[in-house]
């Protein structure tokens, strides 16, 4: 007599999902209510109101005439300045952060060096606003420590107290590159390090077994695998700089980049005959951010295939 042994069948995702009590599922959704309320009240509603204001004139009538603000040379210059400073700090931050990640590959995650860098990156990536502006004012401002030290050495006129004949570098649009890099590089470390850690040692061993060199490994294996994650992080850094406001507002009194131009339009109308310019500019920023986040999401999905 032959006995047939039937192997137990692992429960499917559907079966596991059916085992979850209805009360627990309801409790999970209830737990999202505070977060959802916060997003709606403080993010969604203000964003919709700000963008919608650009479609109405001073009397409250619907119009597209406000978009003529984009023909103003000052507005176009502000957009160009925002784009180039965001692109420059994103590229420099991505390169600097990637080099730090590469150096950390030789360290163990549980050791003090890795933990210190991870903790510092988490803090510095969120350090901005007035505190960051004050730190750089005290360092490279007109009366900053480094500026006064250079003057004492005989450099009475240096880039920190007179850049391109326009005064201290820190209070001009190009000077924003320095404080922006302060939080761009740590953000790159946080976003790109998981991709670097996803490189498997077996890939390097297979490359060496087939006669490949270290250069071959990076050009044919490492770089192609890391490229989606790198460019995704690059887009994230661009979006981070493009939307930054508090640090620039603490350093520059007038417009120059789009976030400051929106503030200027809210406090004093500078384009005669065009209403609600701030809403029009906010719509332009939202469009740019949607494009960036769509590209970032696509790259992240592609990069996640190598982390499984």
């Amino acid at each position: 007599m032959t006995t047939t042994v039937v192997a137990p069948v692992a429960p499917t995702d559907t079966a596991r999902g059916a085992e979850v009590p209805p009360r627990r599922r309801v409790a999970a959704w209830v737990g999202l209510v505070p977060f959802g309320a916060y997003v709606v009240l403080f993010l969604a509603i203000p964003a919709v109101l700000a963008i919608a204001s650009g479609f109405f004139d001073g009397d409250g009538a619907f119009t597209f005439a406000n978009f003529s603000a984009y023909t103003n040379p000052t507005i176009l210059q502000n957009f160009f300045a925002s784009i180039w400073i965001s692109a420059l700090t994103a590229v420099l931050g991505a390169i600097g952060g990637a080099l730090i990640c590469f150096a950390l590959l030789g360290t163990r995650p549980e050791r003090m060096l890795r933990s210190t860098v991870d903790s510092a990156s988490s803090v510095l990536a969120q350090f901005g606003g007035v505190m960051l502006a004050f730190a750089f004012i005290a360092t490279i401002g007109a009366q900053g420590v480094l500026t006064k030290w250079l003057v004492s050495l005989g450099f009475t006129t240096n880039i920190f107290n007179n850049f391109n004949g326009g005064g201290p570098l820190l209070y001009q649009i190009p000077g924003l590159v320095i404080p922006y890099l302060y939080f761009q590089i740590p953000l790159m470390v946080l976003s790109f390090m998981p991709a670097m850690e996803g490189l498997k040692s077996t890939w390097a061993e297979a490359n060496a077994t087939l006669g490949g060199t270290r250069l071959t490994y990076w050009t044919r294996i490492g770089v192609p695998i890391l490229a989606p994650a790198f460019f995704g992080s690059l887009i994230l850094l661009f979006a981070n700089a493009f939307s930054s406001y508090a640090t620039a507002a603490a350093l520059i009194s007038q417009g120059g980049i789009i976030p400051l131009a929106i503030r200027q339009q809210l406090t004093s109308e500078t384009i005669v005959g065009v209403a609600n310019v701030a809403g029009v500019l906010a719509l332009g920023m939202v469009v740019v951010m949607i494009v960036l986040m769509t590209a970032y999401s696509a790259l992240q999905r592609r990069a996640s295939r190598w982390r499984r």
Side-chain angles (χ1 to χ4, degrees):
M1 179 177 182
T2 305
T3 303
T4 304
V5 180
V6 180
V9 179
T12 61
D13 292 341
T14 303
R16 282 196 293 264
E19 295 173 0
V20 179
R23 291 182 180 180
R24 183 174 299 179
R25 277 185 282 179
V26 172
W29 282 105
V30 171
L32 291 175
V33 171
F35 176 74
Y38 173 83
V39 171
V40 171
L41 293 177
F42 297 99
L43 293 178
I45 293 179
V48 171
L49 293 177
I51 295 172
S53 66
F55 292 93
F56 296 90
D57 59 16
D59 298 327
F62 185 85
T63 180
F64 288 105
N66 296 337
F67 288 89
S68 62
Y70 284 108
T71 62
N72 187 281
T74 302
I75 297 299
L76 296 178
Q77 184 178 2
N78 290 338
F79 256 106
F80 176 75
S82 294
I83 290 174
W84 79 256
I85 194 172
S86 301
L88 179 60
T89 56
V91 171
L92 294 178
I95 294 174
L99 292 176
I100 294 175
C101 293
F102 179 77
L104 291 176
L105 278 181
T107 63
R108 295 182 179 179
E110 66 275 6
R111 292 298 179 88
M112 181 181 296
L113 178 60
R114 177 73 70 84
S115 300
T116 301
V117 173
D118 290 342
S119 301
S121 298
S122 300
V123 174
L124 297 179
Q126 304 299 324
F127 185 67
V130 178
M131 293 298 296
L132 179 61
F134 174 76
F136 278 95
I137 289 174
T139 306
I140 60 174
Q143 301 297 322
V145 175
L146 182 57
T147 306
K148 301 301 289 184
W149 178 69
L150 291 175
V151 171
S152 67
L153 294 179
F155 299 99
T156 56
T157 301
N158 54 75
I159 61 172
F160 298 127
N161 60 16
N162 187 13
F163 175 75
N164 201 23
L169 171 65
L170 190 61
Y171 309 132
Q172 302 181 46
I173 297 300
L176 293 177
V177 173
I178 302 175
Y180 276 23
L181 287 177
Y182 193 86
F183 54 76
Q184 291 283 67
I185 293 177
L187 181 59
M188 180 64 181
V189 174
L190 292 177
S191 61
F192 191 60
M193 193 63 202
M196 294 288 286
E197 291 178 332
L199 293 176
K200 299 179 181 179
S201 59
T202 54
W203 297 340
E205 294 170 358
N207 173 72
T209 301
L210 296 174
T213 61
R214 192 176 186 85
L215 178 62
T216 304
Y217 169 76
W218 283 109
T219 55
R220 297 189 178 184
I221 301 175
V223 172
I225 291 175
L226 293 176
F230 178 84
F231 287 110
S233 299
L234 183 67
I235 292 174
L236 181 63
L237 264 62
F238 182 94
N240 186 47
F242 188 77
S243 59
S244 294
Y245 166 77
T247 302
L251 294 173
I252 300 176
S253 57
Q254 300 296 326
I257 57 177
I258 286 300
L260 300 185
I262 293 177
R263 179 192 65 179
Q264 190 174 11
Q265 293 297 329
L266 290 173
T267 56
S268 59
E269 184 177 345
T270 57
I271 302 180
V272 180
V274 180
N276 298 325
V277 176
V280 173
L281 298 182
L283 177 60
M285 290 193 67
V286 168
V287 170
V288 173
M289 296 298 291
I290 290 176
V291 172
L292 291 174
M293 291 299 98
T294 302
Y296 174 75
S297 178
L299 288 171
Q300 284 297 99
R301 287 195 300 268
R302 184 176 179 85
S304 63
R305 295 186 305 177
W306 302 102
R307 301 177 190 173
R308 297 170 184 171

